[in-house]
Amino acid sequence: MEHCQRYLLCWLLLLPVAVNASGNDAGMALLQKDCSGCHDLTGPAPTTIAGVWQRQGPDLFYAGNKYKPAWLKTWLQKPVRIRPAGMYYGRHIKEGADGDVIDSTTLKPHPRLNGEQAKAVTEALMSLRAGSHLINEGEYKPGKISMAMGELMFDKFRGCLACHEIEEGYGGLSGPEVYSAGNRLQEDFMISYMRDPQAWDPRIFMPNKHLKDRDLQKFVHFFRALAAENEQ
Amino acid sequence: MKVMLSRVMMVLLTCFLSSTQVLAAEKAEDLYKNYCWQCHGMTGNGNGVNVRDMSVQPRDHTDAKEMSARSDDEIFKAIKEGGQAISKSVLMPPWGGVLSDDEIHSLVKYLRHLCQCSGNQ
């Protein structure tokens, strides 16, 4: 079974390459030219810590399984920071009087695209679909959770707040903020990532908290509620 | 076409090389920087970049008094199974499954180096 999955993964990793090679499509050309210096478009994810530290931006070779296209199109035209301490966090912190702080002089604003470019790039990104075997399509079943209960789970019961902000200026700084996750990320991806972060990114510094299926669903309810609240 | 073929070969190669082998063991110092700095801090003093809104302060790994109160086995267990396994805060995550037992043993040794202490009382 394991072997089977691995072969499958290899074929999936090939897909984006095949697409690149055949298409002259504008979005893919732009990605190759202006984005591939910082983003890996072909995979696989780094398997060493040195590889994680060298990474200049998030891996995009599974973008089509990860992001919501509407969010991509908007964000690419008006990028805002997602990881308060950049990538990798250890390269963007320094010792302060009361402990480590972010060295914001080392964080650069993200390149911006115009509307036409953003549309083409979004289309190209959505065609990069490595990792499909890690996703159970339709696994997420929409539902509700109270904000109080969601926050309790995220903070007190599971300790996720240590690394993730649930509002600007509140929470941990080494991971991506989660107050926009509900708008940014596909629900089934979030479930898959929280279930086993290292299946996507073998040396990433998010722990596997062995969450139950029920809790995975509840966290996604919470992220969706947070994102809705954040939009108002 | 040639270019495409050689790229396909490259992807296949890296793919089989990387996905069929277990991750190579990493140095304790690099493990600590990657996984532990975020909370325990760049010097291990418990003041990592994440502590601002944490309800329990991460352990100061340079504090010989606190650190010598625990045996190596207890520290191993805390790292592998998380704070709750030793009746401590859930904010100390479990790293079993992410780190190999060998890597966790090397981290226990590294912590003994940081505190300049041992755990046998």
Side-chain angles (χ1 to χ4, degrees), chain A residues 184-195:
Chain A
R184 181 160 42 108
L185 304 171
Q186 295 175 31
E187 285 76 11
D188 294 339
F189 171 83
M190 287 194 262
I191 289 189
S192 171
Y193 194 93
M194 290 186 285
R195 178 178 284 132

Side-chain angles (χ1 to χ4, degrees), chain B residues 53-68:
Chain B
D53 298 318
M54 284 172 65
S55 51
V56 176
Q57 174 91 11
R59 169 74 71 247
D60 177 350
H61 288 153
T62 65
D63 185 331
K65 192 159 156 282
E66 293 274 11
M67 289 299 289
S68 55

Side-chain angles (χ1 to χ4, degrees), chain A residues 6-7 10 21 48-49 53 88-89 95 99-100 156-157 162 165 169-171 173-174 198 203 205 207 209, chain B residues 4 15-16 19 23-24 26 30 33-35 37-38 41-43 47 49-50 52-53 90 93-95 98 103:
Chain A
R6 278 176 178 147
Y7 282 102
C10 293
T48 62
I49 288 176
W53 294 353
Y88 133 82
Y89 76 90
E95 285 174 60
D100 301 348
K156 294 283 179 301
F157 299 163
E165 286 192 334
Y170 182 58
L173 302 172
S174 62
Q198 283 69 32
R203 282 297 186 181
F205 36 88
K209 295 249 185 179
Chain B
M4 156 134 191
C15 192
F16 284 108
S19 68
L23 297 182
E26 301 266 4
D30 290 347
K33 276 190 187 177
N34 197 48
Y35 299 101
W37 268 24
Q38 44 189 336
M42 302 171 85
T43 59
N47 280 315
V49 71
N50 280 342
R52 183 189 61 194
D53 298 318
V90 65
W95 295 101
V98 175
E103 288 177 328

Side-chain angles (χ1 to χ4, degrees), chain A residues 1-229:
Chain A
M1 186 57 204
E2 270 237 85
H3 262 96
C4 199
Q5 283 192 356
R6 278 176 178 147
Y7 282 102
L8 196 61
L9 174 67
C10 293
W11 287 112
L12 290 166
L13 287 171
L14 270 176
L15 273 180
V17 179
V19 172
N20 291 354
S22 66
N24 307 325
D25 110 279
M28 201 57 86
L30 209 151
L31 273 176
Q32 294 290 4
K33 184 165 77 68
D34 292 345
C35 321
S36 62
C38 294
H39 294 284
D40 187 349
L41 303 173
T42 50
T47 54
T48 62
I49 288 176
V52 169
W53 294 353
Q54 277 155 21
R55 196 157 45 185
Q56 301 296 313
D59 289 340
L60 294 180
F61 57 89
Y62 48 86
N65 277 328
K66 178 172 180 181
Y67 305 107
K68 292 187 174 173
W71 175 83
L72 276 177
K73 211 173 121 200
T74 312
W75 188 86
L76 288 170
Q77 296 173 70
K78 213 168 166 270
V80 285
R81 188 151 291 288
I82 297 165
R83 294 164 192 72
M87 279 180 78
Y88 133 82
Y89 76 90
R91 280 198 284 136
H92 301 286
I93 56 177
K94 59 181 184 189
E95 285 174 60
D98 305 314
D100 301 348
V101 291
I102 293 172
D103 181 358
S104 47
T105 61
T106 65
L107 295 172
K108 304 272 174 312
H110 195 270
R112 246 172 215 265
L113 301 180
N114 67 32
E116 205 179 312
Q117 292 168 323
K119 186 161 172 283
V121 163
T122 297
E123 238 167 67
L125 283 174
M126 293 309 290
S127 75
L128 302 180
R129 303 191 48 133
S132 293
H133 67 297
L134 296 171
I135 302 230
N136 299 328
E137 226 183 301
E139 180 170 13
Y140 176 65
K141 305 279 180 261
K144 283 198 179 347
I145 189 172
S146 74
M147 289 308 266
M149 189 58 200
E151 194 171 328
L152 208 57
M153 276 180 65
F154 196 76
D155 181 7
K156 294 283 179 301
F157 299 163
R158 295 300 185 174
C160 320
L161 188 72
C163 302
H164 295 284
E165 286 192 334
I166 55 172
E167 62 182 69
E168 211 178 329
Y170 182 58
L173 302 172
S174 62
E177 50 81 358
V178 294
Y179 48 85
S180 76
N183 282 340
R184 181 160 42 108
L185 304 171
Q186 295 175 31
E187 285 76 11
D188 294 339
F189 171 83
M190 287 194 262
I191 289 189
S192 171
Y193 194 93
M194 290 186 285
R195 178 178 284 132
D196 187 358
Q198 283 69 32
W200 290 94
D201 198 353
R203 282 297 186 181
I204 195 63
F205 36 88
M206 166 155 162
N208 183 336
K209 295 249 185 179
H210 311 292
L211 301 171
K212 297 204 176 61
D213 286 353
R214 197 160 20 104
D215 289 344
L216 294 169
Q217 297 277 341
K218 285 186 188 164
F219 275 127
V220 180
H221 300 336
F222 177 53
F223 296 146
R224 282 160 55 103
L226 265 182
E229 190 176 73

